[in-house]
Amino acid sequence: MLKPSPSLTHVALIALITLAVSGCNKERSYPVYRENPAPKDALPIVIRVHDAPVELTLPKVFVSYEIDPLCLPPISNYEGVQYAPQRHSVEFPVQRVSATEFSSTVFEDGMAVADYYGRGPCEWKPSIIRASFPVISEGREGFISVAVHHLELKKLLTSISYADSQMTLQTKSSTPGWVRTQSQYSYNRLSDIEKQKYFAIEISSPSKGIVP
């Protein structure tokens, strides 16, 4: 007896699944984003640590930049997702001023404007400024990370975060753990007793300059 032919709906469904799987397995490649080799728009920052239980080591300072989404390639995948990288972080040098104070100069134009996708020059804007202190707690490596949005720092000039004085790492795996931190808003909502369990880390911008 002859077997019935599969319906057109069944055939279309199989074809669609095959296309989706092949699309998921297809390797994606994107251009390498470049840092600006001669940035000019400088933003000096100062990081101060208040009443830490130990002297913190030199932090790493990063700025995360966001690319103009209009210059990214059109979304053409089945998932409807933009896979092209939309952010890039740049690390900037840090100097120790004292046992509790550090300084750095970050740049608002830290990324190179270029035609990465053949759709015209891609502009960048700074997003998050982050300071990450390496720590050793309970015999394990970890970090204290505090951050502020670039626009917030320019407007308020100072941002304060609060880190757990016990420096308890929030992961038990072999990877570096992180120390719990609180934003100013979250810290203000704590009881006076809970507030005593944290120490302050301040990021401020005393001035804005232009590199000659």
Side-chain angles (χ1 to χ4, degrees):
M1 184 172 63
L2 295 177
K3 293 183 179 180
S5 300
S7 66
L8 290 177
T9 303
H10 189 203
V11 172
L13 180 60
I14 293 175
L16 186 60
I17 293 174
T18 303
L19 180 62
V21 171
S22 62
C24 291
N25 293 334
K26 182 180 179 181
E27 283 193 25
R28 300 181 179 92
S29 61
Y30 300 102
V32 176
Y33 296 150
R34 302 189 300 276
E35 297 178 18
N36 186 350
K40 296 286 187 180
D41 204 354
L43 183 67
I45 64 171
V46 175
I47 304 165
R48 296 184 179 91
V49 180
H50 302 275
D51 302 320
V54 297
E55 181 177 315
L56 298 185
T57 60
L58 197 73
K60 293 184 176 181
V61 169
F62 304 88
V63 176
S64 175
Y65 299 86
E66 295 181 353
I67 196 170
D68 182 354
L70 295 179
C71 81
L72 297 176
I75 298 175
S76 58
N77 55 67
Y78 174 74
E79 307 94 298
V81 176
Q82 177 59 268
Y83 287 105
Q86 301 177 60
R87 295 175 182 81
H88 187 84
S89 291
V90 177
E91 182 177 355
F92 292 94
V94 184
Q95 297 78 40
R96 181 184 287 274
V97 178
S98 69
T100 59
E101 185 172 320
F102 310 87
S103 67
S104 180
T105 299
V106 303
F107 289 87
E108 297 184 87
D109 56 344
M111 293 298 295
V113 176
D115 187 1
Y116 294 104
Y117 293 98
R119 295 167 58 84
C122 291
E123 301 283 345
W124 295 84
K125 61 181 180 181
S127 177
I128 302 297
I129 300 172
R130 182 180 303 277
S132 182
F133 292 85
V135 297
I136 301 294
S137 179
E138 303 167 339
R140 296 173 50 226
E141 293 183 355
F143 59 88
I144 301 173
S145 183
V146 295
V148 58
H149 196 281
H150 162 257
L151 293 179
E152 179 184 348
L153 186 61
K154 289 186 67 175
K155 179 180 179 180
L156 302 179
L157 299 182
T158 299
S159 172
I160 301 178
S161 300
Y162 298 85
D164 175 18
S165 295
Q166 296 296 320
M167 295 190 179
T168 303
L169 300 182
Q170 296 301 304
T171 177
K172 301 299 183 182
S173 66
S174 58
T175 58
W178 67 93
V179 173
R180 185 188 302 277
T181 58
Q182 303 278 358
S183 66
Q184 182 74 71
Y185 175 79
S186 298
Y187 178 80
N188 289 341
R189 296 170 64 88
L190 298 176
S191 67
D192 290 341
I193 294 178
E194 287 297 314
K195 287 179 179 179
Q196 296 176 12
K197 299 178 181 180
Y198 291 86
F199 66 94
I201 300 177
E202 168 193 339
I203 300 178
S204 62
S205 178
S207 62
K208 183 172 181 292
I210 300 295
V211 175

